[in-house]
Each structure stands twice: as C-alpha cells, then as structure tokens.
Amino acid sequence: MEWRGRRGSRNVEDRRGMGRAGAGGVGIVGMLAILAVGYFFGIDISPIVGGLEQGSPSGEPRELTAEEKESGQFVSVVLADTEEVWARVLPEQAGEQYADPGLVMFSGIDSSACGTAQSAMGPFYCPNDRKIYLDTDFFRTMSQKMGAGGDFAYAYVIAHEVGHHVQNQLGILSQTMQARQQSNQATANRISVLTELQADCFAGVWASHASQQFNSIDEGDIDEAINAAAAVGDDTLMEKAGRAPMPDAFTHGSAAQRQDWFKRGFSSGQMGQCDTFKAAGI
C-alpha cells in the first residue's frame, strides 16, 4: 500500500504522549469492560492477551518513538482515504451525506464516551461520541501474535471500525443494539455477528473504491486484508486461546465468514451487497 507522502486526516487526536498504562492483569472489572465494548463495537482480542494486569496512566508526557510517529502518520492517511471514499459513496449509494468520524490514538488505557478504553479491547468504535479508539501497539500484536502483518492488514482494521461508523449514521447500530437487548443470548450473539460481518463488507466496499480512486492498492494488499479478516475470526481467536471454537458463542463471525463478507464488498463495491441481515433471513 502506497501511503507515504499523502494527505492525512484532520480528525485524528493523538493522546499517546500523555502517559501510558503500567504492566499487570486487567482484573474482573477490567475484563468485563473489555468484553462489553469489544462485544458491541470492536475487535475483542482478550482471548490472546490474557494475563495483562491493570495499570494506570503515569500522567507524565513522553516523546513518541519513531515507530509511533510513523504509525500515526499511517493511521491519519488511511482515515483520510476513508473520508474521501465514503464522502462520495454514501450519498451515491445510500442517499446520506457522510459525516467524518474522529479517531483517537492512545497508549495502554484511555477514556471514551463508551467507558474505559484499554489495549486488550483491540480497536473499537464508540457511537456515543462517533470516534474510533486505537492503541497503535495493536498493529504489533497483529503481526507478532496473530500472523496478520502488513500495511493493508492494518488499514482493513481501521476501515472495519469506519464501517461501524457508517452503520451508526444509517441507524443500523441503534437497531441492532435494541434487538440484542430484547433477545436471548444465542440470538443476541447472532445479531452481533451479522453486525460485525456487515462492517467487514463495508470495509471491502471502501477497499474497492480506494483501489480505483487512489491507485495505491495492489493484489498483495488485498491478500493482507483477507488474511487479517481470518486472524480476527472468533474461531481463530478461540483456538489461539486453547479453546474449542463454539459457534453459539461467536460475536464477530468465523474466519471464513469475515473473509467472505470482506471479499463480497470488495468484488462488488456496492453497499447493497452487504445486507448480512437479509442474507440471514432477518
């Protein structure tokens, strides 16, 4: 993915130099927060980062490393790409004007309008303030622990969270949250999976248009995204945690499902091909 030297977004807030969390376990309260936020809006990586301890920010400013500065520039360019694509695609395909989301980069622990943000949550979207929260160390986790490295793999993660923002704008998130609250656990899980798979499909729609619009994406990049979609499948995360995959407990979809819906969005470039709920008979 060619991203260096390109325009960045003005909607990025970098809090990484404001202090980081110390080491140690998230504890019961922390883990419940992780599961709650990840369950609704993000990529729950708690199965592969267990054993971390709850820390508190030092509160002392620090200089960002060269790697952090580069990852910040990368995130800003990817977010700008999503802004340009969705500003055109959403009005054309859904009749809605696109409102840019914000993106907050943090280190270790932070606060959001949806509660505490911790690294073990993975990236997540908070509909209450319409912001994406991302600890850029997650990219290292993807590469070293999940076998899903590469610039476009990381771009897919951002695009997935932007997909949740698109769902929020269209009123889909509020409908699915209400439906889940009124359902039993198995049905609530199924609705959550369909919500996540639609965000994957929207990420594919973005990738399709970004490839044409910016000419910065090649076939190898798409392979990286497809590999990343598999790496964050519920079955993959459960297996890495030493657990047998339990489909009834899935909240984000299997590796195969996440790959399939991303590819559906990419091959069509059409939001209309992303109705996971209709495909499931809901």
Side-chain angles (χ1 to χ4, degrees):
M1 177 181 180
E2 298 295 334
W3 63 270
R4 289 176 175 81
R6 298 177 52 216
R7 182 186 77 85
S9 172
R10 297 180 179 179
N11 296 304
V12 176
E13 181 181 353
D14 194 344
R15 301 178 186 173
R16 294 174 299 170
M18 297 171 62
R20 348 179 20 109
V26 282
I28 301 270
V29 174
M31 185 57 72
L32 288 176
I34 289 168
L35 293 175
V37 177
Y39 187 80
F40 284 107
F41 315 120
I43 300 173
D44 177 16
I45 59 168
S46 56
I48 61 171
V49 293
L52 295 177
E53 295 202 6
Q54 174 122 11
S56 58
S58 66
E60 298 178 1
R62 66 178 181 85
E63 289 293 325
L64 297 180
T65 67
E67 180 183 0
E68 287 175 321
K69 290 177 181 178
E70 182 173 68
S71 65
Q73 293 168 358
F74 167 77
V75 168
S76 181
V77 170
V78 173
L79 187 65
D81 282 2
T82 66
E83 292 166 353
E84 291 190 36
V85 168
W86 284 112
R88 176 175 53 82
V89 171
L90 198 63
E92 288 178 354
Q93 297 190 13
E96 295 280 345
Q97 293 300 311
Y98 185 64
D100 297 340
L103 189 151
V104 176
M105 294 184 290
F106 69 96
S107 292
I109 188 169
D110 198 14
S111 61
S112 79
C114 292
T116 300
Q118 297 193 42
S119 299
M121 294 173 183
F124 70 91
Y125 173 72
C126 176
N128 295 345
D129 57 13
R130 297 193 168 198
K131 292 181 179 180
I132 296 161
Y133 288 81
L134 168 68
D135 185 333
T136 52
D137 281 349
F138 179 70
F139 298 152
R140 185 181 296 111
T141 299
M142 287 180 65
S143 177
Q144 297 179 357
K145 292 189 175 182
M146 304 170 75
D151 287 347
F152 206 71
Y154 310 146
Y156 151 76
V157 169
I158 298 169
H160 171 91
E161 300 308 329
V162 171
H164 283 312
H165 176 67
V166 172
Q167 290 175 316
N168 194 32
Q169 270 205 247
L170 297 176
I172 296 171
L173 273 190
S174 60
Q175 293 174 24
T176 58
M177 288 173 63
Q178 182 178 7
R180 291 179 61 250
Q181 291 169 355
Q182 298 171 348
S183 304
N184 59 34
Q185 190 65 57
T187 302
N189 286 353
R190 186 184 183 208
I191 294 171
S192 179
V193 167
L194 297 175
T195 304
E196 295 295 334
L197 294 179
Q198 185 177 61
D200 280 330
C201 189
F202 285 166
V205 170
W206 165 76
S208 176
H209 289 272
S211 178
Q212 301 171 28
Q213 190 166 334
F214 307 117
N215 196 31
S216 59
I217 300 169
D218 58 32
E219 186 175 345
D221 291 324
I222 301 304
D223 290 339
E224 287 181 359
I226 292 171
N227 181 52
V232 293
D234 285 318
D235 51 345
T236 304
L237 293 175
M238 287 180 178
E239 288 172 355
K240 284 184 176 292
R243 298 160 49 193
M246 300 175 59
D248 287 345
F250 288 178
T251 58
H252 287 61
S254 69
Q257 288 175 316
R258 301 199 72 165
Q259 288 179 313
D260 287 347
W261 281 99
F262 175 84
K263 288 189 287 187
R264 183 179 300 202
F266 180 75
S267 62
S268 68
Q270 296 294 315
M271 296 177 67
Q273 294 298 312
C274 296
D275 194 340
T276 54
F277 305 96
K278 183 178 179 180
I282 295 179

